Amino acid sequence: MIDLEIPKKFVPLVKQAGSMADEVFRPVSRKYDLAEHTYPAELDLVSALIDGMTDSGASNGAGAAGSTRAKDGTDQAPASTDADEATGVTKPASGKKAGKVNKNGANMSSALSIMQTCRGDVGLTLSIPRQGLGNAAIAAVANDEQKERYGNRWAAMAITEPDTGSDSGNIRTTATKDGDEYVLNGEKIFVTSGERAELVVVWATLDRSLGKKAIKSFVVERSNPGLKLVRLEHKLGIRASDTAAFVLEDCRVPANDLLGDPEIRTEGGFGGAMQTFDNTRPLVAAMAVGLTRACLDFTRAALEKAGHGQDWDAPVAAQTYASARLVQMEADYESALLLTLRAAWMADNGKPNSMEASMAKAKAGRTCANVALQCVELVGVDGYAESELLEKWARDAKILDIFEGTQQIQLLVVARRLLGLTSGQLK
């Protein structure tokens, strides 16, 4: 049974993450919003702090495992999982039956800490070194030798392509075996931390005629001459986070840099590659929950200053319009929070959570975007001007309803699960 109080072992982590948001991220938030593509030097200190907390056992994954991948979209049958305590994602279970334990592990700690850091700045949270989706993919799919070899290196994730829309199963980047190497050719867009990371996990197909089951992921050194940076995207929000586009031209990678099983399996091949996302979608939902909290706190303080404080004992109909709107937004926030905690808890306890992860992502992402714009409306000029961070938060909010699978894709995943249909039966 999920306990809705913050686990005692995570209280110090949550406090430290909250302090990081208030004392480190917010003071420089506008600076890096205006200086897009400039690496936030303050993150070196943050990264060192996270490393220290992890080494001391005070953290079970304090960073953010997220991606500004614009669209993914295919669902898979989730496997029973155990938590990988170093990364905040889960990995295949090794003989332990799901449902036999009740624990709050790496997924829960990551979600709780992300909620706090994203009160400060979502883009800065996404830019913390060695905390990206590529690292999550390595933890979820790589074999033991690969995990040891890649260690604590910073890995970005390259999935989205210009022509694949929201269907990751339609990836066109190819990987052709040539002796002890694979040769990769294709194009990738919306790669979070693509310029800054040391490694890029690239999704490619071994045989386009075989569809999803031939898709594999490859670890590519950022310095590989066949991986060519085309541009850095100028974005509406999360400008502190770099978002890159790449072309792969005869990009040669060693065969042992293919993550996991190199064989094409009729069953489970694509599900293995997709395993990462049932664990990272709750973390993206946590980003949205944290940013929603920031918007609501700012708006409540502004309304109280203007003489429109809330009376929680009075019915909504008896309160001012602004106060009533805030009550309704708080209700949406609470539902998004609870869905997110449930999805993270299920991942920690080895329970299939594909539907719940998509529910959390869909609810939290849409709530964040809606709440941010309503808060701008309620506080007037303070919400629209650059004098306050609310203007920036409203711009940052939209990506949380798009990346890691769009709102529409999340609802499609939920519908498939509820109706018991496959992706082929319900598109």
Side-chain angles (χ1 to χ4, degrees), residues 2-3 7 10 103-113 283 340-342 344-345 348:
I2 186 171
D3 187 342
F10 296 152
K103 63 180 181 181
N104 292 305
N107 291 278
M108 184 64 74
S109 68
S110 292
L112 291 171
S113 63
L283 303 184
T340 301
L341 293 177
R342 180 178 67 166
W345 177 85
D348 276 339

Side-chain angles (χ1 to χ4, degrees), residues 79-103:
S80 297
T81 53
D82 290 334
D84 184 315
E85 298 297 330
T87 60
V89 299
T90 57
K91 59 184 180 180
S94 54
K96 183 166 59 180
K97 294 182 180 180
K100 297 299 183 182
V101 294
N102 182 11
K103 63 180 181 181

Side-chain angles (χ1 to χ4, degrees), residues 1 21 41 49 109 139 193 220 264 274 318 392 405 420:
M1 186 68 180
L49 174 62
S109 68
S193 300
V220 181
I264 298 176
M274 287 291 290
K392 177 185 179 299

Side-chain angles (χ1 to χ4, degrees), residues 7 53 88 99 131 185 196 299 348 360 418:
M53 293 168 61
Q131 302 292 324
N185 284 282
R196 300 168 184 169
T299 303
D348 276 339
L418 289 174

Side-chain angles (χ1 to χ4, degrees), residues 8-240:
K8 290 183 179 179
K9 64 179 179 179
F10 296 152
V11 170
L13 171 66
V14 171
K15 289 182 177 179
Q16 288 174 325
S19 296
M20 187 186 303
D22 295 331
E23 299 172 17
V24 180
F25 284 6
R26 285 196 183 184
V28 300
S29 182
R30 182 65 70 182
K31 170 185 174 182
Y32 290 108
D33 180 55
L34 297 174
E36 188 173 11
H37 302 155
T38 301
Y39 176 71
E42 292 82 357
L43 293 183
D44 292 335
L45 175 61
V46 171
S47 182
L49 174 62
I50 291 174
D51 290 344
M53 293 168 61
T54 301
D55 292 341
S56 68
S59 167
N60 289 324
S67 166
T68 46
R69 177 170 54 87
K71 303 166 184 174
D72 69 42
T74 45
D75 56 323
Q76 82 284 7
S80 297
T81 53
D82 290 334
D84 184 315
E85 298 297 330
T87 60
V89 299
T90 57
K91 59 184 180 180
S94 54
K96 183 166 59 180
K97 294 182 180 180
K100 297 299 183 182
V101 294
N102 182 11
K103 63 180 181 181
N104 292 305
N107 291 278
M108 184 64 74
S109 68
S110 292
L112 291 171
S113 63
I114 286 169
M115 288 177 192
Q116 292 298 316
T117 58
C118 285
R119 286 195 309 103
D121 191 282
V122 176
L124 291 173
T125 298
L126 285 167
S127 300
I128 299 174
R130 302 188 307 282
Q131 302 292 324
L133 188 58
N135 296 97
I138 292 170
V141 182
N143 58 41
D144 291 340
E145 184 275 331
Q146 290 171 330
K147 291 177 183 177
E148 178 69 22
R149 179 154 46 92
Y150 301 132
N152 290 323
R153 301 181 69 188
W154 190 359
M157 177 76 97
I159 301 177
T160 304
E161 300 177 358
D163 299 321
T164 58
S166 291
D167 184 6
S168 292
N170 194 33
I171 283 173
R172 298 185 179 186
T173 297
T174 59
T176 304
K177 188 73 179 297
D178 183 16
D180 293 332
E181 296 179 317
Y182 285 94
V183 182
L184 276 57
N185 284 282
E187 184 177 357
K188 296 293 182 180
I189 58 175
F190 300 128
V191 182
T192 297
S193 300
E195 181 188 35
R196 300 168 184 169
E198 302 169 77
L199 308 170
V200 180
V201 177
V202 177
W203 284 31
T205 178
L206 301 180
D207 187 340
R208 287 181 58 181
S209 68
L210 296 178
K212 296 178 181 180
K213 59 180 174 285
I215 292 174
K216 301 293 181 178
S217 52
F218 300 80
V219 177
V220 181
E221 293 281 348
R222 179 64 185 82
S223 58
N224 191 312
L227 181 66
K228 301 179 180 179
L229 177 67
V230 176
R231 65 183 179 275
L232 294 178
E233 304 290 353
H234 293 281
K235 307 186 295 294
L236 173 71
I238 58 168
R239 293 176 177 171

